[in-house]
Amino acid sequence: MSLPDLLFQQPGLRFDIPALRQQLAFSFASGGSGQALDELFSRGARTDPAFNEQCFRPDLYVDDLVRLLGRWQRATGPNHRSNHLRLTRILTTASTNKDTIELRHGVLRELLARVDLRAKVTELWGTLAEFKELLESAELGKRSHGVARRVTILRKLVSAADQLGTFSDSNSHLRVLAEFGEMLGASSAFQSLRSLLDFESQRAVVDLRLSLAYDGSIRQLELVAAREPQAKSLFGATVARWFVWIFSALRGYRLPEEEILGRSIQTVFDGVETDVLWFLQLQLDLEFYLAALAFSDQAKTHGLAVCLPEMSESEQALEIQQLFNPFLLEEPKAPVPADLHLPRRSIALLTGPNSGGKTRLLQALGLSQMLAQCGFFVPAGSAKLPLLSGLFVSLVHGQASDEHEGRLGSELTRIRRMFELLDFNSLVLLDELCSGTNPSEGEEIFELVVSLLVELTPVAVITTHFLEFAQRLEREGRLTLRFLQVDLDAHSVPTYQFVPGVATTSLARKTAERLGVTREALQQLINRKAR
């Protein structure tokens, strides 16, 4: 049996099925609350997880990235509400299964190569989005008779089913859509659904005689005959139905045709309910691919490229060319891409001036590993990445108002948390390690952390502003470290590239001048107040 699971080779419904069935029945009967189904989808089962999202989701701003993907997707396709919660769930559920990643890569490669197939996916996603919106719309229930509303929903479902056959020429995993369409066509439940809709669309046949004037206006309209269709397989012959109604009336029951049709609609819907669950999941799976394509389109508008990385289970070094930070696609100027090579089981110490791109690099690197291990495009021209068992990202943020510890306490807390949550063979990205205390004590803690972190065999990048300390570590060679620094041009301006070595200056004076924090500039501000 070919079921339309586009994310995994072994198909399965990835939700709380009893709760979803209950909400689906309520939505079909009277309309939903607008986002009740979305909330159930967001709590779906996490299949094949590899990373603990607590270790990276806040610092990589994954939720903000998903909102951007939704906006880029609406700019290139139907303007329907995206399920941000569900897409976030998929993107944060990394996989160590290479076959799962390759399945998704295969679909994306085919969609990139075939514009017609991408159009079909977009159309099917739009139809399924409309179907879901009809299910959840309480407003439609207010405007429409109950039977008419449910018939409208079922017609949209059949429209989606009819589109499945257009994927028969696919060479990727998308071909399961056509196979699912064939299965639906042969099922008695779907045949009953089509019979019901045929009945509803041909409840009466009317013969008219028109008399037209020379200018095309109607002079006479005469009703010749009105009759019900001859074949109504779902309900039997017309005489049989009238017999049921008369018999019921004699017994004191009143069964209008709308009530009989309403009961028949519910019976038919109960028969296809499981198929509906698959269609709802399918819409979310398609959204994953459309969001990836929208990401690719957005990068192209800035002259950049995304890629499907080569993933390896061996001791593959982390190699990325033309890496960029996706959040910078929202900036007026295009991001400056960078190249990076990090051997397995290595720790790199990154130094350089403020605003030199260090934090942005860590964020881009973390997003790349996360996206790579869920089968998504990576923000780079090309990449070779290892399959890792964990991802830990800690970027420096402003201290929260409800934080009880000072900067040093917060620093020690995040170090403790890292060792509690981190697995062997992970990617570790730490921004400004031990910056919350004086240099002498900070250096001691730094050495302790690095010497123990080595035992977890990570690939790690750590930034620091302790330049003299970094230079001493480079000279002594006691710790197994690689040293990278922000590259500067002839005018000491950061190029946003990263080269071997340790920075000799943080360019604090130049940064202060650029931001207007000099004696002369501040004195002018004081003088203005004195006038």
Side-chain angles (χ1 to χ4, degrees):
M1 182 181 295
S2 296
L3 295 170
D5 190 329
L6 295 183
L7 297 182
F8 296 94
Q9 290 173 319
Q10 295 297 323
L13 290 169
R14 303 183 294 276
F15 312 111
D16 181 345
I17 296 178
L20 189 56
R21 286 186 187 277
Q22 183 177 8
Q23 181 57 47
L24 181 60
F26 176 77
S27 297
F28 184 67
S30 59
S33 63
Q35 293 191 4
L37 289 174
D38 280 352
E39 292 173 1
L40 286 174
F41 293 142
S42 69
R43 300 198 301 268
R46 296 174 63 89
T47 306
D48 194 23
F51 298 165
N52 182 345
E53 67 176 40
Q54 298 178 45
C55 296
F56 64 90
R57 179 172 171 176
D59 290 81
L60 292 183
Y61 298 104
V62 177
D63 300 80
D64 292 339
L65 176 64
V66 169
R67 280 189 283 271
L68 283 179
L69 291 171
R71 194 168 80 213
W72 297 337
Q73 182 183 337
R74 287 192 297 275
T76 58
N79 190 14
H80 296 291
R81 186 180 79 237
S82 298
N83 189 323
H84 290 166
L85 295 174
R86 178 57 186 163
L87 186 56
T88 302
R89 176 72 66 175
I90 296 173
L91 293 183
T92 55
T93 308
S95 175
T96 54
N97 188 323
K98 194 174 179 181
D99 291 337
T100 297
I101 295 172
E102 188 54 41
L103 179 149
R104 301 174 189 182
H105 283 186
V107 172
L108 286 173
R109 288 191 191 96
E110 187 173 40
L111 290 174
L112 280 179
R114 292 185 53 183
V115 176
D116 64 317
L117 201 59
R118 176 174 178 175
K120 293 175 185 177
V121 166
T122 303
E123 182 182 6
L124 178 57
W125 178 82
T127 301
L128 291 172
E130 290 171 3
F131 169 71
K132 179 169 167 291
E133 288 165 6
L134 288 171
L135 269 176
E136 293 187 310
S137 175
E139 186 63 29
L140 177 63
K142 295 176 183 177
R143 298 196 311 266
S144 304
H145 188 280
V147 170
R149 173 186 174 274
R150 284 178 283 170
V151 166
T152 300
I153 292 172
L154 293 178
R155 288 195 188 283
K156 188 60 67 174
L157 177 65
V158 169
S159 177
D162 289 340
Q163 292 176 36
L164 297 177
T166 63
F167 293 90
S168 59
D169 62 344
S170 170
N171 294 315
S172 71
H173 197 62
L174 289 173
R175 64 183 176 273
V176 300
L177 299 182
E179 295 167 2
F180 182 55
E182 291 180 6
M183 185 188 74
L184 291 180
S187 70
S188 58
F190 238 79
Q191 289 172 4
S192 296
L193 170 57
R194 291 184 185 275
S195 296
L196 182 145
L197 294 179
D198 289 343
F199 166 82
E200 174 59 21
S201 63
Q202 300 181 38
R203 295 184 67 183
V205 177
V206 178
D207 293 339
L208 299 174
R209 181 180 292 126
L210 294 176
S211 178
L212 303 177
Y214 71 92
D215 60 354
S217 61
I218 299 176
R219 283 187 173 180
Q220 184 179 5
L221 175 63
E222 180 182 355
L223 177 62
V224 177
R227 62 187 182 280
E228 294 191 23
Q230 294 299 314
K232 293 186 177 180
S233 59
L234 187 64
F235 299 103
T238 304
V239 174
R241 294 207 319 281
W242 276 105
F243 178 79
V244 171
W245 295 340
I246 293 171
F247 180 75
S248 299
L250 291 173
R251 297 185 60 187
Y253 297 105
R254 185 172 178 269
L255 292 175
E257 187 173 3
E258 290 293 346
E259 183 175 346
I260 293 178
L261 182 59
R263 293 182 182 181
S264 301
I265 287 173
Q266 187 60 54
T267 299
V268 168
F269 183 77
D270 290 344
V272 299
E273 184 184 70
T274 301
D275 298 323
V276 171
L277 298 181
W278 280 106
F279 272 114
L280 291 172
Q281 178 170 281
L282 174 59
Q283 192 237 340
L284 300 175
D285 291 356
L286 292 173
E287 189 168 317
F288 170 84
Y289 293 107
L290 291 177
L293 294 171
F295 178 35
S296 175
D297 292 341
Q298 185 69 8
K300 287 179 182 177
T301 63
H302 290 77
L304 298 168
V306 298
C307 73
L308 297 173
E310 296 181 29
M311 305 299 296
S312 174
E313 298 171 340
S314 64
E315 291 295 309
Q316 168 69 50
L318 191 152
E319 299 182 43
I320 306 183
Q321 285 75 45
Q322 301 296 293
L323 171 69
F324 66 90
N325 191 308
F327 291 110
L328 296 180
L329 296 176
E330 291 293 293
E331 299 294 328
K333 296 177 64 176
V336 178
D339 298 341
L340 199 63
H341 176 89
L342 296 171
R344 287 290 294 271
R345 309 175 191 275
S346 67
I347 299 178
L349 191 59
L350 179 58
T351 56
N354 289 311
S355 302
K358 300 189 301 298
T359 302
R360 291 291 195 182
L361 175 72
L362 295 188
Q363 195 174 53
L365 192 54
L367 287 172
S368 295
Q369 192 69 37
M370 180 195 80
L371 296 175
Q373 288 197 221
C374 67
F376 208 77
F377 285 123
V378 164
S382 64
K384 295 181 180 179
L385 300 174
L387 280 170
L388 300 175
S389 58
L391 173 62
F392 187 92
V393 183
S394 180
L395 307 182
V396 172
H397 303 294
Q399 192 167 350
S401 59
D402 59 349
E403 204 166 283
H404 301 294
E405 300 287 352
R407 288 193 65 189
L408 175 59
S410 299
E411 179 70 31
L412 296 176
T413 298
R414 75 163 171 164
I415 291 172
R416 170 77 184 192
R417 181 169 173 268
M418 177 180 68
F419 280 98
E420 286 176 345
L421 299 177
L422 197 61
D423 290 324
F424 288 92
N425 192 34
S426 297
L427 176 62
V428 178
L429 305 170
L430 298 174
D431 195 25
E432 298 187 25
L433 180 61
C434 298
S435 61
T437 186
N438 66 73
S440 60
E441 293 177 316
E443 291 170 8
E444 181 179 347
I445 297 172
F446 187 103
E447 290 198 52
L448 171 66
V449 171
V450 171
S451 63
L452 292 175
L453 185 60
V454 170
E455 297 186 23
L456 293 176
T457 63
V459 179
V461 182
I462 304 171
T463 70
T464 183
H465 284 289
F466 296 161
L467 299 187
E468 293 182 2
F469 173 59
Q471 291 165 3
R472 178 168 62 82
L473 289 177
E474 185 183 34
R475 288 195 306 271
E476 295 175 354
R478 289 186 295 104
L479 298 176
T480 306
L481 293 171
R482 300 180 73 250
F483 296 89
L484 295 173
Q485 63 176 317
V486 175
D487 187 36
L488 305 177
D489 65 13
H491 304 286
S492 295
V493 175
T495 65
Y496 304 108
Q497 304 299 313
F498 303 90
V499 296
V502 177
T504 57
T505 175
S506 64
L507 297 180
R509 185 172 301 172
K510 283 184 173 291
T511 302
E513 291 175 355
R514 177 171 58 83
L515 297 177
V517 184
T518 63
R519 174 173 291 277
E520 295 77 10
L522 297 179
Q523 187 65 56
Q524 288 178 4
L525 294 176
I526 295 173
N527 293 341
R528 289 176 192 170
K529 297 178 184 294
R531 292 174 185 170

